[in-house]
Amino acid sequence: MVKSFETSVKQWADEQIRHLGWPIIGSEEQVIDADIERALKTNPSKSGGNGGGRPDYSLIIEDGEKRIPVFVEYKGAKNKLIKLDKQNLVILRDKDENFDYKQAIPHYAVNGAVYYAMNVVNDTEYREVLAVGVNGFESAGKMQYEISVYVLNKIHAELPIHLGDFKDFDFLKNKAIQREALFKKIEAVQLDPKEIEQRAIRDDAKIEAALQELNQKIHDEQQIIPSQRINVVAGALMAAIGVKNEDGGYKVARLKPSELMGSTEEGNTDGEKILRKITNSLKSRKLPEKKQKQIINVLRSNFVDNNLNQKSELETQTPIRAIYKEVYDKLIPIYDVTGINDFTGKLFNVMNAWVDVPDGGANDVVLTPRYVTNFMARLTRVNMGSYVWDWALGSGGFLISAMNLMIKDAYEHYPNDKGKLFDTIEGIKTKQLLGVELLPNVYMLAVLNMILMGDGSSNIVNDNSLTQYEGKYAYNEDPFPADVFLLNPPYSAEGNGMIFVEKAFKKQKKGYGAVIIQDSAGTGKAVEINQRILKENTLKASIKMPADLFKASVQTSIYLFEVGTGGHKKDDNVYFVDLREDGYTRTNRKKAKINLINSNDAKGHYQEVVDLILNKAKKTNYFNENDNYYLGTIDPESGKDWNYNKKIDTTPTEADFKKTVSDYLSWEVSQILKGTNQDF
């Protein structure tokens, strides 16, 4: 058995904590705050037992504005400081997404401290908590001590952020210099783009794994066809998430699996209970009545008018309850602890694989990665006043990225005017976003996606944007005043999909548009369409994207336009950017838990391209003119010169001239020595 030095660690750490200078401190036996004590008691202990537990040491720090609890946990053996996953994030749950009360939480210092901090930040008014892990072990006859500190906040209570590693507790002293530095660092690390991106990748992997397992289970046990699976999971999620009010309580409570009793009474079957909860949720979200009826009519056939409400003599529950319980138990915990953006983005990328696409058009349903939709929304200068539309909506990823940017801008403009802020956000969700999707099943994905995002689904149209859609709002005859167009079109359409751009720009009078498309559209596949587009609009940038961005491994480019300029002129500059090396490593291995790795500051690469094209000061230096980007011109009459092609400068330099003369003289001398030059 490995010898434990935990007693030595406790003595070493306790002595320092008692002399930090904070008035509110307490050992494991002491209560420092009634709310903290209540939160600890009402949650399981580190080993999963009843009655809660307390950290080895607790204290509360403050700087005059914030009060932050600090929980300290001790261990006394080598390699017992922290247990991390492959993304270097603190492990709290096991492979089945249950809290890991057997290994990580009870046996590692940081993991135990983080567990206590998570419960407190979830169940009290404290918005941030520090988790401190302390470990000690003997090496070469001497004690070695190590300290690692993490921050937890209410936004991502289960996703601790690394604050730093320390050799002692001096960083925590209640002295002006240390106190100011600590609180600044606590704020700064929570805004670190690399940290946020790393957590987003981990969330994506967790969601994908849970969904794949759910998909397989529904397929194996219920034999439900893919198109029906989409609607069942979508409807179950609507019933399971409930609707919260402004105070965080529920105005439409979550439907618990225990409420589904398998009744055969008309109006009270499991499916009807789920549908009733969905109906109440849609009403509470104040969706237009026509849209409510449309959604309920689609879902009724999945939840009521089928045999999923019936159980055989050998079954203990109806099939619909079994599916609902899987959704509630496996997806809702992830929904609660991950960023909503990350949840919905991965949710629909995985669910899209279940969609039946008629007429061999499966390759046309390709959902754009979250970081690309966000990138394109920023390129098109989205702000709180924008009116954004997408004519081939897919899951709604572009509208979600745009909506997030618009709401963020509103918060920045009205930090102290809650009334104005509320009205602006309400207008963004109900009046300033519009999407058109032809395929009914994909349309349902988009509706649910926007509802989960809470809620921009009012103007999502199930229509053919090329032949039927007239550019109006979904539920009135007013034209939609679009000034931002975002698109990943079906590549089987005319001109690789550029026909969508042309038709949308005829109805959009100003602003910007961005399309990600097979880049053969810019080299000959859409010549006539491109020529027509440039008669009224200007190409601002052409960005070559990674070849493995999509699983189909097609080479794509993003084309950025300014709309309604009167036409592209021959001397208009265009940014040509090579973003094939974007900082991500992609594996696309079927069994891999994580196929997207931020290997070289991907967020920085994308931000620099935005800064470059929008003429802002660059914060990094990944792109250099005439290396991986250049300013050039195109022929508006060509229609096939839109893509990045690295320029090779053929202008001779003085060094080139000297080398040429030197080479010639060397040749002359060699000829003389050989006696073959008749001039000498």
Side-chain angles (χ1 to χ4, degrees):
M1 183 174 178
V2 178
K3 182 180 179 181
S4 174
F5 293 92
E6 189 166 331
T7 300
S8 299
V9 172
K10 177 176 173 57
Q11 292 172 348
W12 177 81
D14 284 2
E15 178 68 16
Q16 293 184 68
I17 294 173
R18 284 194 293 267
H19 291 88
L20 290 174
W22 296 105
I24 303 177
I25 64 172
S27 62
E28 186 175 3
E29 297 78 21
Q30 296 172 306
V31 175
I32 65 166
D33 179 280
D35 288 338
I36 290 175
E37 181 68 8
R38 186 164 46 252
L40 294 175
K41 276 190 173 181
T42 54
N43 284 285
S45 67
K46 289 190 301 180
S47 58
N50 294 326
R54 291 199 194 106
D56 290 324
Y57 224 106
S58 304
L59 58 152
I60 294 177
I61 62 175
E62 55 185 314
D63 68 346
E65 295 181 5
K66 286 184 179 180
R67 299 179 84 237
I68 300 177
V70 181
F71 299 135
V72 187
E73 277 288 294
Y74 305 143
K75 290 295 175 212
K78 196 169 185 178
N79 299 322
K80 288 297 180 180
L81 176 66
I82 188 168
K83 189 173 179 62
L84 302 171
D85 63 14
K86 291 182 179 179
Q87 286 293 305
N88 289 322
L89 297 169
V90 178
I91 292 174
L92 286 173
R93 294 180 181 266
D94 59 23
K95 60 182 178 62
D96 297 320
E97 288 304 317
N98 299 312
F99 281 114
D100 190 357
Y101 294 124
K102 292 183 178 180
Q103 290 295 328
I105 294 172
H107 295 308
Y108 293 85
V110 169
N111 302 67
V114 163
Y115 175 72
Y116 286 131
M118 176 201 69
N119 289 331
V120 168
V121 84
N122 270 331
D123 296 344
T124 70
E125 294 298 313
Y126 290 107
R127 302 195 64 79
E128 296 160 314
V129 181
L130 292 190
V132 181
V134 186
N135 187 46
F137 55 92
E138 194 174 73
S139 176
K142 292 184 177 181
M143 282 297 297
Q144 304 290 325
Y145 299 101
E146 51 189 354
I147 301 173
S148 192
V149 185
Y150 282 77
V151 184
L152 288 86
N153 59 45
K154 277 195 179 296
I155 298 173
H156 298 297
E158 228 177 280
L159 295 168
I161 303 167
H162 190 216
L163 183 73
D165 297 321
F166 305 91
K167 63 180 182 179
D168 54 36
F169 278 87
D170 282 359
F171 74 96
L172 205 51
K173 282 183 176 178
N174 187 16
K175 292 186 177 180
I177 294 175
Q178 287 96 328
R179 186 173 58 244
E180 183 179 355
L182 177 61
F183 276 85
K184 279 185 177 179
K185 191 167 186 180
I186 289 170
E187 182 176 356
V189 295
Q190 295 179 75
L191 301 175
D192 182 358
K194 290 183 181 178
E195 185 73 38
I196 294 169
E197 184 69 13
Q198 186 183 40
R199 284 181 287 143
I201 292 172
R202 205 275 293 268
D203 289 350
D204 284 352
K206 287 175 66 175
I207 295 163
E208 184 164 0
L211 278 166
Q212 288 173 345
E213 181 183 343
L214 175 65
N215 183 28
Q216 193 65 46
K217 195 176 184 72
I218 294 175
H219 175 269
D220 293 344
E221 296 181 5
Q222 311 299 343
Q223 287 84 48
I224 300 175
I225 61 174
S227 59
Q228 191 175 2
R229 257 177 266 168
I230 287 287
N231 292 341
V232 169
V233 174
L237 276 167
M238 285 189 214
I241 62 174
V243 181
K244 287 187 175 183
N245 57 33
E246 293 180 5
D247 298 326
Y250 284 95
K251 53 184 176 181
V252 177
R254 290 177 164 178
L255 177 66
K256 297 178 180 177
S258 58
E259 297 176 58
L260 304 178
M261 308 294 291
S263 172
T264 57
E265 178 186 344
E266 185 177 350
N268 207 32
T269 65
D270 290 347
E272 286 170 313
K273 286 182 178 179
I274 295 172
L275 197 65
R276 212 159 38 237
K277 184 64 70 171
I278 295 169
T279 302
N280 292 340
S281 295
L282 296 177
K283 285 181 179 178
S284 178
R285 295 176 187 277
K286 298 180 180 179
L287 266 69
E289 285 190 22
K290 185 176 178 181
K291 179 172 283 294
Q292 292 182 41
K293 290 178 181 178
Q294 183 184 26
I295 295 170
I296 295 302
N297 288 339
V298 170
L299 295 180
R300 178 175 295 279
S301 62
N302 302 115
F303 286 95
V304 179
D305 303 331
N306 57 47
N307 58 5
L308 294 179
N309 269 310
Q310 303 168 7
K311 60 181 178 180
S312 68
E313 294 180 359
L314 299 176
E315 292 178 315
T316 59
Q317 60 184 345
T318 62
I320 198 66
R321 184 188 187 277
I323 295 169
Y324 186 83
K325 191 173 187 308
E326 283 292 315
V327 170
Y328 195 92
D329 291 346
K330 296 293 174 65
L331 292 186
I332 293 304
I334 299 175
Y335 174 80
D336 286 340
V337 301
T338 59
I340 293 177
N341 257 343
D342 305 329
F343 180 85
T344 50
K346 181 58 66 176
L347 173 64
F348 294 103
N349 273 310
V350 175
M351 287 178 72
N352 181 57
W354 308 353
V355 179
D356 283 337
V357 182
D359 303 324
N363 289 332
D364 276 350
V365 185
V366 180
L367 304 187
T368 315
R370 167 183 46 83
Y371 56 91
V372 176
T373 60
N374 182 267
F375 174 59
M376 292 170 63
R378 287 184 293 148
L379 285 173
T380 51
R381 298 163 170 80
V382 165
N383 59 61
M384 69 178 190
S386 298
Y387 284 77
V388 185
W389 59 1
D390 179 350
W391 278 37
L393 186 61
S395 71
F398 281 114
L399 293 191
I400 286 173
S401 289
M403 183 170 74
N404 286 334
L405 290 174
M406 294 162 78
I407 291 173
K408 180 182 177 184
D409 189 43
Y411 272 100
E412 291 173 357
H413 273 79
Y414 305 117
N416 302 313
D417 190 338
K418 288 187 176 181
K420 188 69 173 177
L421 177 63
F422 178 84
D423 291 343
T424 301
I425 292 175
E426 187 72 10
I428 288 169
K429 292 177 177 179
T430 59
K431 297 178 182 178
Q432 293 173 233
L433 302 164
L434 186 146
V436 187
E437 176 53 52
L438 174 62
L439 300 175
N441 289 326
V442 181
Y443 165 77
M444 278 302 297
L445 292 186
V447 169
L448 174 58
N449 207 358
M450 300 304 285
I451 286 174
L452 287 172
M453 285 302 299
D455 158 38
S457 69
S458 299
N459 287 292
I460 296 179
V461 182
N462 187 195
D463 211 341
N464 187 325
S465 51
L466 294 182
T467 60
Q468 296 170 301
Y469 180 60
E470 297 180 354
K472 298 178 181 178
Y473 278 98
Y475 299 103
N476 64 49
E477 292 299 307
D478 294 336
F480 184 75
D483 55 17
V484 172
F485 177 72
L486 296 165
L487 181 73
N488 179 357
Y491 302 154
S492 63
E494 186 181 350
N496 279 7
M498 288 301 295
I499 186 67
F500 284 86
V501 179
E502 180 186 14
K503 286 186 174 290
F505 284 1
K506 285 182 178 178
K507 298 184 182 299
Q508 181 175 328
K509 305 301 181 185
K510 62 178 183 177
Y512 293 88
V515 56
I516 183 167
I517 196 166
Q518 279 188 337
D519 66 4
S520 55
T523 56
K525 289 282 188 175
V527 170
E528 293 182 358
I529 295 174
N530 293 348
Q531 290 170 342
R532 293 196 294 268
I533 288 172
L534 293 187
K535 289 190 179 300
E536 297 296 333
N537 312 286
T538 301
L539 180 66
K540 303 294 289 185
S542 171
I543 305 165
K544 190 174 284 289
M545 301 300 288
D548 56 355
L549 183 65
F550 299 104
K551 288 183 179 180
S553 293
V554 295
Q555 181 59 62
T556 56
S557 284
I558 292 173
Y559 301 135
L560 175 67
F561 302 90
E562 186 172 358
V563 181
T565 60
H568 191 105
K569 308 298 189 294
K570 285 187 176 182
D571 58 353
D572 284 338
N573 273 325
V574 179
Y575 278 98
F576 291 91
V577 182
D578 184 0
L579 193 49
R580 284 175 290 187
E581 298 293 332
D582 67 346
Y584 283 121
T585 299
R586 303 169 183 83
T587 63
N588 287 332
R589 290 177 290 138
K590 289 185 178 180
K591 293 185 179 181
K593 287 188 176 180
I594 297 175
N595 282 317
L596 184 70
I597 300 170
N598 185 356
S599 53
N600 184 26
D601 187 21
K603 197 175 185 75
H605 281 71
Y606 282 91
Q607 182 60 53
E608 184 172 333
V609 174
V610 172
D611 292 340
L612 185 70
I613 292 172
L614 300 190
N615 293 316
K616 295 183 178 180
K618 295 200 305 177
K619 302 167 189 66
T620 51
N621 198 35
Y622 298 117
F623 294 88
N624 298 290
E625 191 165 5
N626 297 324
D627 179 11
N628 46 9
Y629 89 89
Y630 60 90
L631 271 173
T633 59
I634 61 170
D635 179 359
E637 300 298 325
S638 170
K640 57 182 180 180
D641 56 354
W642 286 17
N643 288 353
Y644 172 91
N645 286 296
K646 186 169 182 178
K647 285 186 172 183
I648 300 175
D649 189 358
T650 58
T651 304
T653 64
E654 182 178 350
D656 294 328
F657 176 74
K658 288 179 178 179
K659 187 176 185 305
T660 302
V661 172
S662 176
D663 289 344
Y664 176 75
L665 291 176
S666 295
W667 177 81
E668 284 278 19
V669 170
S670 69
Q671 297 304 301
I672 292 169
L673 293 175
K674 290 177 183 179
T676 56
N677 192 325
Q678 300 301 317
D679 294 333
F680 289 90

